[in-house]
Amino acid sequence: MRVLGIESSCDETGAAVVEGEGGKLKLLSNDVASSADLHRQYGGVVPEIAARSHIEAINPIIQQALKDAECGWDEIDAIAVTKGPGLGGSLLVGVMTARTLAILHNKPLYGVNHVLAHTYAAFITEAKADYELPPEAPEFPLLALIVSGGHTQLVYFKDHFKYSLLGATTDDAVGEAYDKTAKILGLPYPGGPEIEKLAKKGDPNKYQLPKAKTENKYGFSYSGLKTAVLRLAQAQVGQDYNFPSHKVAEALSGGQKADIAASFNKVAIETLVDKTMRAFEEYAPKSVVISGGVSASHELREQMKSILPVRPVFADPKLCTDNGAMIAAAGYFMAKSVSPDNPRILEIIPSLSM
Ligand code: KG4
Ligand code: ZN
Protein backbone atom coordinates (compact mmCIF):
# COMPACT_ATOMS: atom_id res chain seq x y z
CA MET A 1 0.00 0.00 0.00
CA ARG A 2 1.33 3.43 -0.96
CA VAL A 3 0.40 6.54 1.01
CA LEU A 4 1.02 10.13 -0.01
CA GLY A 5 1.63 12.27 3.10
CA ILE A 6 1.13 16.03 3.12
CA GLU A 7 2.40 18.32 5.89
CA SER A 8 1.84 22.09 6.23
CA SER A 9 1.26 22.83 9.93
CA CYS A 10 4.04 25.34 10.47
CA ASP A 11 6.82 26.62 8.19
CA GLU A 12 7.64 23.43 6.27
CA THR A 13 5.68 22.28 3.23
CA GLY A 14 6.26 18.54 2.97
CA ALA A 15 5.10 15.73 0.73
CA ALA A 16 6.28 12.14 0.75
CA VAL A 17 5.34 8.68 -0.45
CA VAL A 18 5.63 5.75 1.93
CA GLU A 19 5.09 2.13 0.96
CA GLY A 20 3.84 -0.18 3.67
CA GLU A 21 3.70 -3.94 3.61
CA GLY A 22 2.91 -6.19 6.56
CA GLY A 23 3.50 -3.30 8.95
CA LYS A 24 6.95 -2.49 7.48
CA LEU A 25 7.47 0.95 6.00
CA LYS A 26 9.70 1.98 3.12
CA LEU A 27 10.23 5.62 2.24
CA LEU A 28 9.99 6.15 -1.52
CA SER A 29 10.30 9.94 -1.52
CA ASN A 30 10.40 12.86 0.88
CA ASP A 31 10.37 16.47 -0.31
CA VAL A 32 10.34 19.50 1.93
CA ALA A 33 10.27 23.23 1.14
CA SER A 34 10.92 25.44 4.15
CA SER A 35 10.06 29.11 4.57
CA ALA A 36 12.44 29.34 7.58
CA ASP A 37 14.73 31.75 5.67
CA LEU A 38 11.86 34.22 5.33
CA HIS A 39 11.08 34.08 9.07
CA ARG A 40 14.69 34.40 10.19
CA GLN A 41 14.75 38.19 10.36
CA TYR A 42 11.72 38.12 12.70
CA GLY A 43 13.23 35.55 15.08
CA GLY A 44 10.21 33.24 14.77
CA VAL A 45 7.52 32.04 12.40
CA VAL A 46 5.21 34.74 10.96
CA PRO A 47 1.89 32.94 10.28
CA GLU A 48 0.89 35.01 7.21
CA ILE A 49 4.27 34.48 5.54
CA ALA A 50 4.14 30.76 6.31
CA ALA A 51 0.64 30.39 4.81
CA ARG A 52 1.57 32.29 1.65
CA SER A 53 4.69 30.16 1.21
CA HIS A 54 2.65 26.95 1.54
CA ILE A 55 0.33 28.12 -1.23
CA GLU A 56 3.30 28.60 -3.57
CA ALA A 57 5.11 25.41 -2.59
CA ILE A 58 2.45 22.78 -2.09
CA ASN A 59 1.65 21.70 -5.65
CA PRO A 60 5.29 21.58 -6.83
CA ILE A 61 6.30 19.65 -3.68
CA ILE A 62 3.56 17.05 -4.20
CA GLN A 63 4.52 16.68 -7.87
CA GLN A 64 8.16 16.27 -6.85
CA ALA A 65 7.30 13.63 -4.23
CA LEU A 66 5.36 11.59 -6.81
CA LYS A 67 8.17 11.96 -9.33
CA ASP A 68 10.89 10.96 -6.83
CA ALA A 69 8.80 7.95 -5.81
CA GLU A 70 8.41 7.11 -9.51
CA CYS A 71 4.72 6.64 -9.09
CA GLY A 72 1.61 8.02 -10.73
CA TRP A 73 -1.75 8.68 -9.10
CA ASP A 74 -3.01 5.20 -9.94
CA GLU A 75 -0.29 3.75 -7.70
CA ILE A 76 -1.27 5.87 -4.69
CA ASP A 77 -3.71 4.05 -2.38
CA ALA A 78 -4.42 6.77 0.18
CA ILE A 79 -3.70 10.39 1.08
CA ALA A 80 -2.79 11.47 4.62
CA VAL A 81 -2.67 15.12 5.67
CA THR A 82 -1.94 17.01 8.88
CA LYS A 83 -5.25 18.34 10.24
CA GLY A 84 -3.72 19.84 13.42
CA PRO A 85 -2.33 21.09 15.65
CA GLY A 86 -0.67 24.04 13.96
CA LEU A 87 -1.18 27.46 12.44
CA GLY A 88 -4.70 27.85 11.01
CA GLY A 89 -3.70 29.43 7.71
CA SER A 90 -0.92 26.92 7.15
CA LEU A 91 -3.06 23.87 7.99
CA LEU A 92 -5.80 25.08 5.64
CA VAL A 93 -3.48 24.99 2.63
CA GLY A 94 -2.52 21.35 3.23
CA VAL A 95 -6.01 20.15 4.13
CA MET A 96 -7.76 21.91 1.22
CA THR A 97 -5.14 20.57 -1.20
CA ALA A 98 -5.48 17.03 0.16
CA ARG A 99 -9.28 17.19 0.09
CA THR A 100 -9.24 18.35 -3.53
CA LEU A 101 -6.77 15.64 -4.57
CA ALA A 102 -8.72 12.94 -2.71
CA ILE A 103 -11.93 13.89 -4.54
CA LEU A 104 -10.21 14.36 -7.91
CA HIS A 105 -8.33 11.05 -7.81
CA ASN A 106 -10.90 9.16 -5.75
CA LYS A 107 -8.55 8.21 -2.89
CA PRO A 108 -9.33 7.58 0.79
CA LEU A 109 -8.25 10.54 2.93
CA TYR A 110 -6.91 10.48 6.50
CA GLY A 111 -6.58 13.57 8.70
CA VAL A 112 -3.52 13.09 10.91
CA ASN A 113 -2.51 14.48 14.31
CA HIS A 114 0.87 16.11 13.66
CA VAL A 115 2.28 15.54 17.16
CA LEU A 116 1.37 11.86 17.14
CA ALA A 117 2.84 11.54 13.64
CA HIS A 118 6.31 12.65 14.82
CA THR A 119 6.56 9.29 16.58
CA TYR A 120 5.58 7.47 13.38
CA ALA A 121 8.71 8.75 11.61
CA ALA A 122 10.56 6.14 13.71
CA PHE A 123 8.54 3.34 12.06
CA ILE A 124 10.25 3.91 8.71
CA THR A 125 12.97 1.28 8.48
CA GLU A 126 13.81 1.30 4.76
CA ALA A 127 14.32 4.02 2.18
CA LYS A 128 15.19 4.40 -1.47
CA ALA A 129 17.57 7.26 -0.70
CA ASP A 130 20.30 7.65 1.86
CA TYR A 131 18.83 7.79 5.37
CA GLU A 132 20.08 6.78 8.82
CA LEU A 133 17.16 4.55 9.73
CA PRO A 134 16.48 2.34 12.73
CA PRO A 135 17.11 -1.32 11.78
CA GLU A 136 13.74 -2.34 13.19
CA ALA A 137 10.43 -0.66 13.92
CA PRO A 138 9.67 0.07 17.58
CA GLU A 139 7.60 -2.46 19.51
CA PHE A 140 4.54 -1.94 21.68
CA PRO A 141 4.07 -1.07 24.44
CA LEU A 142 6.22 1.91 23.67
CA LEU A 143 7.14 5.08 25.45
CA ALA A 144 7.43 8.15 23.24
CA LEU A 145 9.09 11.44 24.05
CA ILE A 146 7.87 14.01 21.53
CA VAL A 147 9.98 17.14 21.57
CA SER A 148 9.43 19.88 19.03
CA GLY A 149 9.04 23.63 18.65
CA GLY A 150 5.42 23.40 19.77
CA HIS A 151 5.28 20.29 21.97
CA THR A 152 7.05 18.49 24.78
CA GLN A 153 5.30 15.36 25.92
CA LEU A 154 5.70 11.85 27.20
CA VAL A 155 3.20 9.37 25.81
CA TYR A 156 2.68 5.70 26.63
CA PHE A 157 1.35 3.70 23.65
CA LYS A 158 -0.23 0.31 24.31
CA ASP A 159 -0.72 -0.11 20.57
CA HIS A 160 -1.22 1.97 17.44
CA PHE A 161 -3.37 5.00 18.34
CA LYS A 162 -4.08 3.56 21.82
CA TYR A 163 -2.19 5.81 24.13
CA SER A 164 -2.21 7.82 27.33
CA LEU A 165 -0.54 11.15 27.75
CA LEU A 166 1.75 10.90 30.79
CA GLY A 167 2.75 14.53 30.83
CA ALA A 168 3.25 17.63 28.73
CA THR A 169 4.64 21.10 29.06
CA THR A 170 2.57 23.55 31.03
CA ASP A 171 4.06 26.54 29.19
CA ASP A 172 6.84 26.67 26.56
CA ALA A 173 7.92 23.68 24.52
CA VAL A 174 11.57 22.67 24.73
CA GLY A 175 12.21 23.64 21.08
CA GLU A 176 10.67 27.02 21.80
CA ALA A 177 13.14 27.45 24.69
CA TYR A 178 15.98 26.66 22.24
CA ASP A 179 14.61 29.21 19.77
CA LYS A 180 14.16 31.92 22.44
CA THR A 181 17.58 31.30 23.97
CA ALA A 182 19.09 31.51 20.50
CA LYS A 183 17.35 34.84 19.95
CA ILE A 184 18.78 36.21 23.23
CA LEU A 185 22.26 35.10 22.11
CA GLY A 186 21.80 36.70 18.68
CA LEU A 187 21.61 33.37 16.82
CA PRO A 188 19.24 32.83 13.88
CA TYR A 189 15.97 30.86 13.87
CA PRO A 190 15.59 27.88 14.21
CA GLY A 191 17.71 28.02 17.33
CA GLY A 192 18.18 24.34 18.20
CA PRO A 193 20.97 23.46 15.74
CA GLU A 194 22.67 26.83 16.37
CA ILE A 195 22.68 26.37 20.15
CA GLU A 196 23.96 22.83 19.75
CA LYS A 197 26.86 24.04 17.57
CA LEU A 198 27.79 26.89 19.92
CA ALA A 199 27.40 24.73 23.04
CA LYS A 200 30.29 22.53 21.84
CA LYS A 201 32.64 25.52 22.32
CA GLY A 202 31.40 26.35 25.83
CA ASP A 203 31.54 24.99 29.38
CA PRO A 204 28.24 23.32 30.34
CA ASN A 205 29.06 23.66 34.04
CA LYS A 206 29.92 27.34 33.96
CA TYR A 207 26.45 28.49 35.04
CA GLN A 208 23.81 26.74 37.14
CA LEU A 209 20.48 27.22 35.39
CA PRO A 210 17.28 26.04 37.15
CA LYS A 211 15.41 22.81 36.48
CA ALA A 212 11.68 23.44 36.76
CA LYS A 213 9.68 21.57 39.38
CA THR A 214 6.32 20.41 38.02
CA GLU A 215 3.23 19.12 39.81
CA ASN A 216 2.98 16.13 37.48
CA LYS A 217 6.18 14.09 37.70
CA TYR A 218 6.07 13.68 33.90
CA GLY A 219 5.20 17.32 33.24
CA PHE A 220 7.58 19.86 31.72
CA SER A 221 8.02 23.60 32.02
CA TYR A 222 10.55 25.60 30.02
CA SER A 223 9.48 29.22 30.39
CA GLY A 224 11.42 29.68 33.66
CA LEU A 225 14.59 28.39 32.02
CA LYS A 226 14.25 30.87 29.17
CA THR A 227 13.79 33.75 31.66
CA ALA A 228 16.76 32.49 33.71
CA VAL A 229 18.89 32.59 30.54
CA LEU A 230 17.87 36.20 29.92
CA ARG A 231 18.61 37.24 33.54
CA LEU A 232 21.95 35.44 33.42
CA ALA A 233 22.90 37.13 30.16
CA GLN A 234 21.87 40.55 31.51
CA ALA A 235 23.92 39.98 34.66
CA GLN A 236 26.97 38.87 32.63
CA VAL A 237 27.00 42.23 30.83
CA GLY A 238 26.65 44.11 34.13
CA GLN A 239 22.99 45.03 33.69
CA ASP A 240 19.71 44.25 35.44
CA TYR A 241 16.32 43.01 34.21
CA ASN A 242 15.52 46.43 32.69
CA PHE A 243 18.20 45.99 30.02
CA PRO A 244 16.43 45.24 26.69
CA SER A 245 16.78 41.63 25.60
CA HIS A 246 17.55 42.62 22.00
CA LYS A 247 20.68 44.48 23.15
CA VAL A 248 22.11 41.63 25.22
CA ALA A 249 23.67 39.66 22.35
CA GLU A 250 25.89 42.48 21.12
CA ALA A 251 27.12 43.14 24.68
CA LEU A 252 28.10 39.50 25.38
CA SER A 253 31.53 38.12 24.45
CA GLY A 254 31.85 35.04 22.25
CA GLY A 255 33.02 33.02 25.26
CA GLN A 256 30.09 34.10 27.41
CA LYS A 257 27.64 33.18 24.65
CA ALA A 258 29.18 29.73 24.25
CA ASP A 259 29.09 29.09 28.03
CA ILE A 260 25.45 30.20 28.25
CA ALA A 261 24.53 28.00 25.24
CA ALA A 262 26.34 25.01 26.79
CA SER A 263 24.78 25.52 30.25
CA PHE A 264 21.31 25.89 28.73
CA ASN A 265 21.75 22.85 26.48
CA LYS A 266 22.82 20.74 29.46
CA VAL A 267 19.77 21.59 31.60
CA ALA A 268 17.28 21.38 28.71
CA ILE A 269 18.50 17.89 27.80
CA GLU A 270 18.97 16.59 31.35
CA THR A 271 15.32 17.33 32.12
CA LEU A 272 14.19 15.31 29.09
CA VAL A 273 16.50 12.42 29.93
CA ASP A 274 15.53 12.33 33.65
CA LYS A 275 11.77 12.24 32.98
CA THR A 276 12.05 9.68 30.18
CA MET A 277 14.12 7.44 32.44
CA ARG A 278 11.62 7.79 35.27
CA ALA A 279 8.72 6.87 32.97
CA PHE A 280 10.74 3.95 31.60
CA GLU A 281 11.21 2.59 35.11
CA GLU A 282 7.51 2.89 35.95
CA TYR A 283 6.04 1.60 32.66
CA ALA A 284 8.73 -0.84 31.49
CA PRO A 285 7.97 -0.38 27.76
CA LYS A 286 9.51 -2.61 25.09
CA SER A 287 10.70 0.39 23.07
CA VAL A 288 11.41 4.05 23.60
CA VAL A 289 10.97 6.44 20.68
CA ILE A 290 12.41 9.94 20.80
CA SER A 291 10.89 12.12 18.10
CA GLY A 292 10.24 15.69 16.95
CA GLY A 293 12.63 18.44 15.89
CA VAL A 294 14.64 18.50 19.13
CA SER A 295 15.38 14.76 18.76
CA ALA A 296 17.84 15.77 16.02
CA SER A 297 20.13 16.86 18.90
CA HIS A 298 23.27 14.69 19.03
CA GLU A 299 23.72 15.35 22.72
CA LEU A 300 20.17 14.19 23.49
CA ARG A 301 20.73 11.05 21.40
CA GLU A 302 23.99 10.19 23.12
CA GLN A 303 22.62 10.72 26.62
CA MET A 304 19.47 8.69 25.94
CA LYS A 305 21.53 5.83 24.45
CA SER A 306 23.88 5.75 27.41
CA ILE A 307 21.22 5.81 30.14
CA LEU A 308 18.26 3.76 28.84
CA PRO A 309 18.31 -0.02 29.34
CA VAL A 310 16.83 -0.50 25.84
CA ARG A 311 18.23 1.14 22.73
CA PRO A 312 16.08 4.18 22.01
CA VAL A 313 14.64 4.45 18.51
CA PHE A 314 15.31 7.68 16.64
CA ALA A 315 14.22 8.60 13.15
CA ASP A 316 16.79 9.89 10.68
CA PRO A 317 17.58 13.53 11.66
CA LYS A 318 16.01 14.61 8.33
CA LEU A 319 12.76 12.96 9.47
CA CYS A 320 12.81 14.55 12.96
CA THR A 321 11.82 18.04 11.86
CA ASP A 322 8.48 18.48 10.07
CA ASN A 323 8.02 16.41 6.91
CA GLY A 324 5.42 14.54 4.87
CA ALA A 325 6.99 11.12 5.53
CA MET A 326 5.87 11.01 9.15
CA ILE A 327 2.33 11.96 8.07
CA ALA A 328 2.32 9.22 5.42
CA ALA A 329 3.66 6.72 7.98
CA ALA A 330 0.90 7.55 10.47
CA GLY A 331 -1.61 7.49 7.58
CA TYR A 332 -0.56 3.96 6.63
CA PHE A 333 -1.35 2.64 10.12
CA MET A 334 -4.59 4.66 10.24
CA ALA A 335 -5.66 3.11 6.95
CA LYS A 336 -5.25 -0.30 8.58
CA SER A 337 -7.30 0.55 11.66
CA VAL A 338 -9.80 3.39 11.14
CA SER A 339 -12.29 4.55 8.51
CA PRO A 340 -11.21 7.35 6.20
CA ASP A 341 -12.36 10.93 6.64
CA ASN A 342 -14.92 12.51 4.35
CA PRO A 343 -12.93 14.58 1.82
CA ARG A 344 -15.84 17.02 1.52
CA ILE A 345 -15.88 17.91 5.21
CA LEU A 346 -12.45 17.21 6.78
CA GLU A 347 -11.72 20.29 8.90
CA ILE A 348 -8.50 21.68 10.29
CA ILE A 349 -8.13 21.59 14.11
CA PRO A 350 -5.43 24.16 15.00
CA SER A 351 -5.53 23.33 18.73
CA LEU A 352 -5.83 19.56 18.34
CA SER A 353 -4.34 17.78 21.35
CA MET A 354 -3.39 14.18 21.93
O1 KG4 B 1 9.27 19.20 14.89
P1 KG4 B 1 9.69 20.53 14.40
O2 KG4 B 1 10.35 20.64 13.06
O3 KG4 B 1 8.51 21.54 14.36
C1 KG4 B 1 7.44 21.54 15.25
O4 KG4 B 1 6.52 20.69 15.09
O5 KG4 B 1 7.51 22.39 16.17
O6 KG4 B 1 10.66 21.11 15.52
C2 KG4 B 1 11.34 22.31 15.37
C3 KG4 B 1 12.12 22.59 16.65
C4 KG4 B 1 12.70 24.00 16.68
O7 KG4 B 1 12.35 24.60 17.91
C5 KG4 B 1 14.20 23.77 16.58
O8 KG4 B 1 14.96 24.76 17.23
C6 KG4 B 1 14.36 22.40 17.24
O9 KG4 B 1 13.23 21.68 16.78
N1 KG4 B 1 15.59 21.70 16.84
C7 KG4 B 1 16.58 21.36 17.72
C8 KG4 B 1 17.62 20.78 16.94
N2 KG4 B 1 17.22 20.77 15.63
C9 KG4 B 1 15.98 21.34 15.60
N3 KG4 B 1 16.68 21.52 19.04
C10 KG4 B 1 17.81 21.10 19.64
N4 KG4 B 1 18.86 20.55 18.98
C11 KG4 B 1 18.80 20.36 17.64
N5 KG4 B 1 19.83 19.82 17.00
ZN1 ZN C 1 6.47 19.07 14.26
Side-chain angles (χ1 to χ4, degrees), residues 7 9-10 12 85 114-115 118 146-151 292-293 320-323 326:
E7 155 64 28
S9 65
C10 191
E12 263 100 29
H114 175 96
V115 183
H118 268 299
I146 309 171
V147 277
S148 72
H151 300 272
C320 290
T321 46
D322 294 348
N323 61 79
M326 67 189 208

